[in-house]
Amino acid sequence: MNGAIKVGAYVVGLAVVFGGALGVGRVVGPVGDAVAEAARDTGHSAEPGAGHAAGAGAGHDEGHDEAARAPAVPGGLQVSQGGYTLLPEADEVKVGERTDFRFSVIGPDGHPVTGFTTQHDKKLHLIVVRRDLTGFRHLHPTQKGGVWSVPLELPAAGEYRAFADFAPEGAEAMTLGMDLSVAGDYRPEPPAVPAETAKVGDYTVTLAGDLVPGRTSMLTLSIAKDGKPVTDLEPYLAAYGHLVALRDGDLAYLHVHPDGAPDDGRTAPGPDITFYAEVPSAGTYGLYLDFKHAGTVRTAVFTAATGPDPEAGGATAPAGDGHGSHEHGR
Ligand SMILES: [Cu+2]
């Protein structure tokens, strides 16, 4: 099926996941309330599609549907949102040099925020990726007062985007994005075709599912090592897998999570990890799956293009003209 892979869940997914996974219950506002409620209904976070699960078989209350769909602007596109602003100490990183990357989240009162609500075992998640969808990394900076810091080494020049994913105490979870420049000879990776498999080390990850714009899509990622299904995945950040999706073109950020949790008595530790996701528009997306096995976290990288919307009367989205899969480890 020519790589017509579907991912979904946007800002909505993020909020649901965070609100539910840890019982955070701090998401506020009309959207947050709805998704938090949806998450409580399911008893777990792992359903970014909560609220629009008609089709996904998750059986959520339809009543959440409208509110859950409300966010118009995807996460990660803004450096400032709702009174919170991301402030890097420096927005340049030297190529190939390991430095401490430091930044703060400035709150509505003009001071660095020091109180954060834990989401997925961490108070802040930092994603860094180059504009051409390569070089993805998922980091966990350490906090000292109002300053976050993490060792960062970017081996290739280019324009990068850094996403901070966090929830200030008493405020709704959000993802802010900031640009990072790495001076040097930048050669963007050529666009490649979407692929259903990705290799990372001895592991092969296979992606199944259809990515339909504006709809909740179920994605299944299956992990095999040396050709054998992996059935002993280890929990990482309170899940068997974490999936980040970034839209090609503007790096709109979509953080989705699996259906089920390691301790819920029904979720198997592989080989399949199921996600509910929704992409807001037709196009190409970079998908990054973090999973942990044998004590090591690895990232499988996919490129996926949306398929046609079955209700759109045959309109089709481009399916093979985007970025291709970039295999890498880390
Ligand atoms: Cu993280």
Short mmCIF file of all heavy atoms in Angstrom, two decimals, residues 15-16 19-20 25-44 50-51 60-61 63-64 67-68:
data_model
loop_
_atom_site.label_atom_id
_atom_site.label_comp_id
_atom_site.label_asym_id
_atom_site.label_seq_id
_atom_site.Cartn_x
_atom_site.Cartn_y
_atom_site.Cartn_z
N ALA A 15 -2.29 16.01 25.11
CA ALA A 15 -2.94 16.34 26.36
C ALA A 15 -3.58 15.10 26.97
O ALA A 15 -3.48 14.86 28.17
CB ALA A 15 -3.99 17.41 26.12
N VAL A 16 -4.20 14.31 26.15
CA VAL A 16 -4.85 13.12 26.66
C VAL A 16 -3.82 12.22 27.31
O VAL A 16 -3.97 11.75 28.42
CB VAL A 16 -5.51 12.33 25.52
CG1 VAL A 16 -5.90 10.96 26.02
CG2 VAL A 16 -6.73 13.06 25.03
N GLY A 19 -2.41 13.76 30.47
CA GLY A 19 -3.40 13.85 31.53
C GLY A 19 -3.67 12.48 32.09
O GLY A 19 -3.83 12.31 33.29
N GLY A 20 -3.72 11.50 31.23
CA GLY A 20 -4.14 10.18 31.68
C GLY A 20 -3.02 9.33 32.22
O GLY A 20 -3.16 8.68 33.22
N GLY A 25 -4.03 15.12 35.61
CA GLY A 25 -5.27 15.85 35.87
C GLY A 25 -5.08 17.34 35.97
O GLY A 25 -5.87 18.05 36.54
N ARG A 26 -4.01 17.82 35.39
CA ARG A 26 -3.77 19.25 35.52
C ARG A 26 -4.08 20.00 34.25
O ARG A 26 -4.00 21.22 34.21
CB ARG A 26 -2.30 19.49 35.87
CG ARG A 26 -2.03 19.19 37.30
CD ARG A 26 -0.75 19.87 37.75
NE ARG A 26 -0.45 19.51 39.11
CZ ARG A 26 -0.75 20.29 40.11
NH1 ARG A 26 -1.32 21.44 39.92
NH2 ARG A 26 -0.46 19.90 41.33
N VAL A 27 -4.35 19.28 33.24
CA VAL A 27 -4.67 19.99 32.02
C VAL A 27 -5.91 20.81 32.27
O VAL A 27 -6.86 20.35 32.87
CB VAL A 27 -4.89 19.00 30.86
CG1 VAL A 27 -3.55 18.57 30.32
CG2 VAL A 27 -5.68 17.82 31.31
N VAL A 28 -5.88 22.03 31.85
CA VAL A 28 -7.00 22.92 32.12
C VAL A 28 -7.55 23.48 30.82
O VAL A 28 -6.98 23.30 29.77
CB VAL A 28 -6.57 24.08 33.02
CG1 VAL A 28 -6.16 23.55 34.39
CG2 VAL A 28 -5.45 24.85 32.39
N GLY A 29 -8.63 24.18 30.96
CA GLY A 29 -9.23 24.78 29.78
C GLY A 29 -10.17 23.80 29.13
O GLY A 29 -10.21 22.64 29.49
N PRO A 30 -10.93 24.30 28.18
CA PRO A 30 -11.97 23.48 27.57
C PRO A 30 -11.42 22.20 26.95
O PRO A 30 -11.98 21.14 27.10
CB PRO A 30 -12.58 24.40 26.51
CG PRO A 30 -11.75 25.63 26.46
CD PRO A 30 -10.88 25.66 27.66
N VAL A 31 -10.31 22.33 26.29
CA VAL A 31 -9.76 21.15 25.65
C VAL A 31 -9.21 20.21 26.70
O VAL A 31 -9.51 19.03 26.71
CB VAL A 31 -8.62 21.56 24.68
CG1 VAL A 31 -7.94 20.30 24.18
CG2 VAL A 31 -9.21 22.36 23.55
N GLY A 32 -8.43 20.78 27.60
CA GLY A 32 -7.81 19.94 28.61
C GLY A 32 -8.84 19.21 29.43
O GLY A 32 -8.69 18.03 29.74
N ASP A 33 -9.89 19.90 29.79
CA ASP A 33 -10.92 19.25 30.60
C ASP A 33 -11.51 18.06 29.87
O ASP A 33 -11.69 16.99 30.42
CB ASP A 33 -12.04 20.25 30.91
CG ASP A 33 -11.57 21.27 31.94
OD1 ASP A 33 -10.55 21.01 32.60
OD2 ASP A 33 -12.20 22.32 32.05
N ALA A 34 -11.77 18.29 28.61
CA ALA A 34 -12.40 17.22 27.85
C ALA A 34 -11.48 16.03 27.71
O ALA A 34 -11.89 14.88 27.88
CB ALA A 34 -12.79 17.73 26.46
N VAL A 35 -10.24 16.30 27.43
CA VAL A 35 -9.36 15.17 27.22
C VAL A 35 -9.03 14.48 28.54
O VAL A 35 -8.91 13.27 28.60
CB VAL A 35 -8.06 15.57 26.49
CG1 VAL A 35 -8.39 15.99 25.08
CG2 VAL A 35 -7.32 16.64 27.23
N ALA A 36 -8.92 15.27 29.59
CA ALA A 36 -8.63 14.66 30.88
C ALA A 36 -9.78 13.75 31.26
O ALA A 36 -9.59 12.65 31.76
CB ALA A 36 -8.44 15.74 31.94
N GLU A 37 -10.97 14.22 30.98
CA GLU A 37 -12.14 13.42 31.29
C GLU A 37 -12.15 12.16 30.43
O GLU A 37 -12.42 11.08 30.92
CB GLU A 37 -13.38 14.28 31.01
CG GLU A 37 -14.61 13.78 31.71
CD GLU A 37 -15.80 14.65 31.34
OE1 GLU A 37 -15.62 15.85 31.11
OE2 GLU A 37 -16.91 14.10 31.27
N ALA A 38 -11.82 12.35 29.19
CA ALA A 38 -11.79 11.19 28.30
C ALA A 38 -10.76 10.19 28.80
O ALA A 38 -10.98 8.98 28.78
CB ALA A 38 -11.44 11.62 26.88
N ALA A 39 -9.66 10.71 29.28
CA ALA A 39 -8.62 9.82 29.75
C ALA A 39 -9.09 9.06 30.98
O ALA A 39 -8.83 7.88 31.15
CB ALA A 39 -7.35 10.62 30.07
N ARG A 40 -9.82 9.75 31.84
CA ARG A 40 -10.33 9.07 33.03
C ARG A 40 -11.31 7.99 32.62
O ARG A 40 -11.34 6.92 33.20
CB ARG A 40 -11.02 10.08 33.96
CG ARG A 40 -10.04 10.88 34.80
CD ARG A 40 -10.75 11.60 35.94
NE ARG A 40 -11.72 12.56 35.47
CZ ARG A 40 -11.39 13.81 35.16
NH1 ARG A 40 -10.15 14.22 35.25
NH2 ARG A 40 -12.32 14.64 34.75
N ASP A 41 -12.09 8.30 31.62
CA ASP A 41 -13.06 7.31 31.15
C ASP A 41 -12.37 6.01 30.76
O ASP A 41 -12.84 4.94 31.01
CB ASP A 41 -13.80 7.84 29.91
CG ASP A 41 -14.76 8.95 30.28
OD1 ASP A 41 -14.95 9.16 31.50
OD2 ASP A 41 -15.28 9.60 29.38
N THR A 42 -11.23 6.15 30.13
CA THR A 42 -10.58 4.95 29.63
C THR A 42 -9.72 4.33 30.69
O THR A 42 -9.27 3.22 30.56
CB THR A 42 -9.67 5.28 28.43
OG1 THR A 42 -8.61 6.10 28.92
CG2 THR A 42 -10.43 5.96 27.34
N GLY A 43 -9.43 5.10 31.71
CA GLY A 43 -8.59 4.57 32.76
C GLY A 43 -7.13 4.61 32.37
O GLY A 43 -6.26 4.23 33.10
N HIS A 44 -6.87 5.10 31.20
CA HIS A 44 -5.47 5.24 30.83
C HIS A 44 -5.26 6.26 29.75
O HIS A 44 -6.13 6.56 28.98
CB HIS A 44 -4.89 3.90 30.38
CG HIS A 44 -3.43 4.00 30.16
ND1 HIS A 44 -2.87 4.09 28.92
CD2 HIS A 44 -2.42 4.11 31.04
CE1 HIS A 44 -1.56 4.23 29.06
NE2 HIS A 44 -1.26 4.24 30.32
N ALA A 50 -8.62 9.44 22.14
CA ALA A 50 -9.80 9.49 22.98
C ALA A 50 -10.67 10.63 22.55
O ALA A 50 -10.21 11.73 22.36
CB ALA A 50 -9.39 9.67 24.43
N GLY A 51 -11.91 10.39 22.43
CA GLY A 51 -12.79 11.48 22.07
C GLY A 51 -13.15 11.43 20.60
O GLY A 51 -14.21 11.86 20.22
N HIS A 60 -14.95 5.47 23.16
CA HIS A 60 -15.01 6.65 24.00
C HIS A 60 -16.35 7.36 23.86
O HIS A 60 -17.04 7.20 22.88
CB HIS A 60 -13.90 7.63 23.61
CG HIS A 60 -12.56 7.04 23.83
ND1 HIS A 60 -12.13 6.64 25.06
CD2 HIS A 60 -11.57 6.74 22.97
CE1 HIS A 60 -10.93 6.14 24.95
NE2 HIS A 60 -10.57 6.18 23.68
N ASP A 61 -16.60 8.15 24.83
CA ASP A 61 -17.83 8.93 24.84
C ASP A 61 -17.78 9.94 23.69
O ASP A 61 -16.90 10.77 23.60
CB ASP A 61 -17.90 9.67 26.19
CG ASP A 61 -19.16 10.49 26.31
OD1 ASP A 61 -19.85 10.70 25.28
OD2 ASP A 61 -19.46 10.92 27.41
N GLY A 63 -19.36 12.42 23.32
CA GLY A 63 -19.55 13.77 23.80
C GLY A 63 -18.27 14.59 23.86
O GLY A 63 -18.30 15.80 23.85
N HIS A 64 -17.13 13.90 23.92
CA HIS A 64 -15.88 14.63 24.00
C HIS A 64 -15.40 15.07 22.63
O HIS A 64 -14.42 15.77 22.50
CB HIS A 64 -14.81 13.76 24.63
CG HIS A 64 -15.15 13.31 26.00
ND1 HIS A 64 -15.50 14.19 26.98
CD2 HIS A 64 -15.20 12.07 26.56
CE1 HIS A 64 -15.76 13.52 28.09
NE2 HIS A 64 -15.59 12.23 27.86
N ALA A 67 -14.93 18.98 21.59
CA ALA A 67 -13.94 19.68 22.38
C ALA A 67 -12.55 19.13 22.11
O ALA A 67 -11.58 19.86 22.02
CB ALA A 67 -14.27 19.55 23.87
N ALA A 68 -12.48 17.82 21.99
CA ALA A 68 -11.18 17.21 21.80
C ALA A 68 -10.56 17.59 20.47
O ALA A 68 -9.37 17.57 20.29
CB ALA A 68 -11.29 15.69 21.91
#
